[in-house]
C-alpha cells in the first residue's frame, strides 16, 4: 500500500516517469530486496500498468492488466484490460474483458457504479487536483464575458483587497467557505465580515446571492452532472436532468439574520429531479406560493445551458498544457473519462450563477442521498464509461456480438439520450 500510495502522489503531480521508476524499484523488492510482496501486489501492478500506458507504452500495460484480471478481476481492472487490448488489437481478449464487465454489472449495479466513481476520482488528469485552489480558474470565471461567477476572493492572499476597497464590502452579503477551519458562514456588511475573517486561516469569500428563486418557500441549488469524454479533441456532455438540492427550512428574505447578525446556513432537506422542480416553478403562479411568482421555465433552461457551457469552457481552458509528463491527449487515448458536478443557483431574474465545482463526486457526499442524485451520478458513470466500452470503431465490431442483451448495455442505451453534447 505504501508503494502504490506514493506513486499515486507522484501521479497527482504529473511525475509519471518518477512514479514508474518507483514502482519498478518496488517490484524488485526495494532496498536489499527485502520486500517480497510488492511484486505480487495487484495495486502496484495496476498503477505501473496505468502510468506506463499514460507515458505512451502499450504492450507492457496490456500484459500487466491481463495478469491482474487472471488473479483479481474487478470492473476497473477489466476496463483497463479492455482498453489496452483494443490498443494492441487483441479483440478476442478485449471481448472476454467486456463480457466479464457485463457480468460484474449484472451481479451488482450499485457496486459497479461505486467502484467506477472511485476510479474516476483517483486516476484522473492531475490538473484536477489543483482545481480547488486554482486562482487562475477563479480569475478565468470572473473575467468571463458571460458573467456567471459571483465576486470571489481567496484568503489569506486577497484579505487586504477584500477589506480595504472603498464601497466594496458595504451593504453586501458574503459567503465564507473555509478550508481551515472547514466551516461555511454567511455574513453581512463590512464590520461583520472583517470580524469573521480573522477566524479563518484559508478559504474563499464569495458574494452571497440572496434574491433567488424559491421552491415551496425554500432556497434550492441545481447540480449538473458533466462527463468529459476526451480532452483532445474536447468532447463534453452533460445530463439534462439536473438535481434540485432543496433546503430544509423556509427562507424569509425580510428576516434572515440570526442574533449575531449572520445569515444561518441552510441545511439540505431533500433532493428532487429538475423535472419536478421546473414543473412546480412553472405552476407557482396559481396560488401555491405567494413568495414565488410564475417562472418562464424555457428562459430558465436557456440561461442554465449558457452558464453550463461557460463553466466547461473555463474549466477546460487550463488543460491544454501538460503538467510535467501528464498529457491530456494520452488520458483520452486510453479512454479515461472525467465526471464532475457543477452546482448553480438561480436569482429572481433567472440568471444562473456557478457556486461550486466538485471534481471528485461520490455517493457518500450526498446528504441526504436522494434518489435523484443517485440516478444522475449512475447515469453519468454509465454514459462516460459506456462510450468507451460500446462505442467502438468498425474494426472492433466483433465486440458487439455478445453484449447487446446485457443489463449494462440496456441501461447505457436507456440513459445516453439524457445527455446533451456541448459545442
Amino acid at each position: 500500500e505504501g508503494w502504490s500510495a506514493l506513486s499515486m502522489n507522484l501521479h497527482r503531480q504529473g511525475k509519471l516517469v518518477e512514479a514508474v521508476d518507483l514502482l519498478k524499484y518496488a517490484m524488485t523488492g526495494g532496498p536489499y530486496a527485502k520486500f517480497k510482496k510488492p511484486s505480487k501486489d495487484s495495486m502496484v501492478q495496476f498503477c505501473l500498468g496505468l502510468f506506463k500506458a499514460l507515458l505512451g507504452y502499450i504492450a507492457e500495460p496490456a500484459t500487466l492488466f491481463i495478469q491482474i484480471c487472471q488473479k483479481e478481476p474487478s470492473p476497473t481492472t477489466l476496463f483497463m484490460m479492455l482498453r489496452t487490448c483494443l490498443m494492441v488489437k487483441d479483440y478476442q481478449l478485449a471481448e472476454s474483458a467486456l463480457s466479464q464487465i457485463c457480468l460484474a454489472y449484472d451481479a451488482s449495479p450499485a457496486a459497479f457504479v461505486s467502484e467506477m466513481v472511485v476510479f474516476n476520482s483517483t486516476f484522473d488528469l492531475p490538473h484536477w487536483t489543483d482545481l480547488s485552489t486554482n486562482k487562475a480558474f477563479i480569475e478565468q470565471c470572473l473575467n468571463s464575458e458571460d458573467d456567471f461567477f459571483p465576486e470571489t476572493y481567496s484568503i489569506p492572499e486577497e484579505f487586504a483587497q477584500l477589506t480595504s476597497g472603498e464601497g466594496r464590502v458595504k451593504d453586501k452579503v458574503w459567503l465564507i467557505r473555509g478550508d481551515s477551519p472547514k466551516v461555511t458562514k454567511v455574513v453581512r456588511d463590512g464590520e461583520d465580515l472583517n470580524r469573521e475573517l480573522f477566524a479563518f486561516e484559508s478559504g474563499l469569500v464569495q458574494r452571497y446571492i440572496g434574491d433567488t428563486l424559491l421552491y415551496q418557500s425554500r432556497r434550492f441549488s441545481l447540480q449538473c452532472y458533466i462527463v468529459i469524454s476526451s480532452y483532445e479533441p474536447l468532447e463534453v456532455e452533460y445530463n439534462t436532468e439536473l438535481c434540485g438540492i432543496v433546503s430544509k427550512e423556509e427562507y424569509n428574505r425580510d428576516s434572515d439574520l440570526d442574533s449575531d447578525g449572520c445569515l444561518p446556513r441552510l441545511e439540505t432537506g431533500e433532493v428532487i429531479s429538475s423535472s419536478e422542480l421546473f414543473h412546480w416553478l412553472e405552476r407557482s403562479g396559481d396560488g401555491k406560493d405567494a413568495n414565488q411568482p410564475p417562472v418562464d421555465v424555457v428562459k430558465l433552461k436557456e440561461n442554465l445551458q449558457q452558464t453550463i457551457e461557460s463553466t466547461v469552457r473555463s474549466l477546460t481552458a487550463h488543460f491544454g498544457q501538460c503538467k510535467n509528463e501528464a498529457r491530456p491527449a494520452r488520458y483520452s487515448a486510453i479512454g479515461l473519462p472525467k465526471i464532475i458536478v457543477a452546482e448553480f443557483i438561480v436569482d429572481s431574474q433567472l440568471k444562473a450563477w456557478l457556486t461550486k465545482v466538485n471534481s471528485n463526486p461520490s455517493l457518500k457526499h450526498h446528504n441526504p442521498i436522494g434518489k435523484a442524485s443517485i440516478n444522475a451520478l449512475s447515469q453519468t458513470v454509465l454514459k462516460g464509461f459506456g462510450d468507451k466500452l460500446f462505442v467502438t470503431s468498425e474494426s472492433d465490431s466483433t465486440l458487439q456480438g455478445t453484449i447487446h442483451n446485457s443489463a449494462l448495455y440496456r441501461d447505457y442505451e436507456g440513459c445516453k439520450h439524457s445527455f446533451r453534447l456541448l459545442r
Side-chain angles (χ1 to χ4, degrees):
E1 292 182 1
W3 293 107
S4 55
L6 182 55
S7 69
M8 286 189 286
N9 184 276
L10 291 169
H11 165 253
R12 284 190 288 270
Q13 302 173 56
K15 299 179 180 179
L16 293 173
V17 172
E18 191 173 342
V20 167
D21 290 342
L22 174 75
L23 291 169
K24 285 184 174 180
Y25 184 55
M27 297 284 279
T28 66
Y32 309 107
K34 291 189 298 184
F35 301 98
K36 301 297 182 184
K37 190 176 179 181
S39 62
K40 302 177 182 179
D41 185 80
S42 295
M43 192 60 183
V44 170
Q45 293 178 327
F46 182 88
C47 290
L48 180 60
L50 178 61
F51 299 157
K52 293 215 71 171
L54 292 172
L55 286 172
Y57 299 94
I58 301 177
E60 184 179 355
T63 301
L64 285 167
F65 291 126
I66 292 169
Q67 290 174 349
I68 297 170
C69 291
Q70 288 174 343
K71 298 183 299 181
E72 300 177 31
S74 69
T76 53
T77 57
L78 289 166
F79 176 80
M80 290 308 305
M81 173 182 165
L82 181 145
R83 293 300 307 176
T84 50
C85 285
L86 286 177
M87 294 171 73
V88 298
K89 301 187 184 302
D90 192 330
Y91 300 121
Q92 184 176 358
L93 285 175
E95 183 176 8
S96 173
L98 181 55
S99 298
Q100 292 182 69
I101 290 173
C102 292
L103 290 174
Y105 183 84
D106 291 344
S108 177
F112 178 92
V113 169
S114 180
E115 181 170 336
M116 301 312 285
V117 166
V118 174
F119 180 46
N120 166 79
S121 301
T122 307
F123 295 101
D124 54 0
L125 189 67
H127 301 61
W128 292 103
T129 304
D130 304 327
L131 181 63
S132 60
T133 57
N134 191 340
K135 307 303 186 294
F137 166 65
I138 295 174
E139 290 298 322
Q140 175 79 14
C141 292
L142 290 172
N143 294 331
S144 170
E145 295 180 358
D146 297 322
D147 184 28
F148 64 94
F149 200 59
E151 185 178 358
T152 302
Y153 299 88
S154 60
I155 49 177
E157 292 87 350
E158 297 176 310
F159 180 88
Q161 181 182 354
L162 174 63
T163 57
S164 63
E166 184 177 354
R168 182 180 297 276
V169 173
K170 187 178 180 181
D171 296 330
K172 287 187 177 180
V173 180
W174 298 90
L175 175 67
I176 307 176
R177 298 183 186 274
D179 291 330
S180 179
K182 205 79 173 175
V183 176
T184 301
K185 277 195 172 184
V186 189
V187 298
R188 175 171 286 176
D189 68 50
E191 183 179 349
D192 289 340
L193 178 62
N194 293 344
R195 183 186 68 235
E196 294 290 344
L197 282 178
F198 283 110
F200 292 88
E201 295 181 9
S202 63
L204 292 176
V205 181
Q206 192 173 71
R207 183 167 65 84
Y208 183 76
I209 310 298
D211 188 20
T212 63
L213 292 184
L214 300 178
Y215 170 78
Q216 298 181 354
S217 299
R218 295 176 291 168
R219 286 171 62 91
F220 67 87
S221 62
L222 290 165
Q223 287 185 343
C224 177
Y225 289 76
I226 302 168
V227 57
I228 302 176
S229 302
S230 171
Y231 295 103
E232 295 183 18
L234 185 62
E235 296 177 6
V236 184
E237 295 177 88
Y238 74 94
N239 195 335
T240 55
E241 185 62 70
L242 311 183
C243 290
I245 314 299
V246 185
S247 66
K248 198 172 186 178
E249 305 88 2
E250 291 190 1
Y251 180 70
N252 190 330
R253 292 187 176 96
D254 299 322
S255 56
D256 51 9
L257 296 179
D258 62 18
S259 57
D260 296 325
C262 295
L263 286 152
R265 183 181 181 184
L266 302 178
E267 296 184 5
T268 300
E270 60 178 322
V271 183
I272 62 175
S273 69
S274 59
S275 298
E276 179 182 348
L277 191 147
F278 291 154
H279 179 69
W280 189 93
L281 289 174
E282 200 168 28
R283 300 175 59 245
S284 58
D286 55 6
K288 289 184 175 296
D289 192 342
N291 294 322
Q292 181 59 64
V295 172
D296 185 345
V297 172
V298 174
K299 182 180 178 181
L300 171 58
K301 290 181 178 180
E302 290 175 353
N303 292 347
L304 274 167
Q305 181 179 349
Q306 180 181 354
T307 305
I308 291 169
E309 291 175 354
S310 298
T311 299
V312 172
R313 282 198 298 269
S314 296
L315 282 169
T316 56
H318 308 284
F319 293 168
Q321 297 181 344
C322 302
K323 183 174 180 181
N324 292 317
E325 299 92 28
R327 302 175 182 274
R330 285 180 177 159
Y331 285 76
S332 301
I334 65 174
L336 293 182
K338 178 59 184 175
I339 298 169
I340 60 174
V341 183
E343 190 165 333
F344 306 90
I345 58 174
V346 183
D347 65 23
S348 59
Q349 303 303 312
L350 304 188
K351 180 175 177 58
W353 298 88
L354 171 67
T355 59
K356 188 187 300 183
V357 175
N358 181 5
S359 59
N360 297 311
S362 167
L363 291 174
K364 296 179 181 179
H365 292 168
H366 293 83
N367 185 23
I369 300 179
K371 182 178 179 180
S373 59
I374 293 175
N375 288 344
L377 182 56
S378 298
Q379 287 179 358
T380 310
V381 168
L382 292 177
K383 180 65 172 69
F385 287 95
D387 284 348
K388 308 303 179 183
L389 294 173
F390 303 123
V391 181
T392 56
S393 65
E394 292 182 4
S395 61
D396 305 336
S397 59
T398 180
L399 300 180
Q400 305 300 323
T402 59
I403 50 83
H404 284 176
N405 293 324
S406 69
L408 178 58
Y409 183 77
R410 290 196 303 270
D411 290 349
Y412 164 72
E413 284 289 314
C415 75
K416 70 178 185 180
H417 302 294
S418 300
F419 287 79
R420 177 176 294 166
L421 180 66
L422 294 179
R423 302 293 181 182

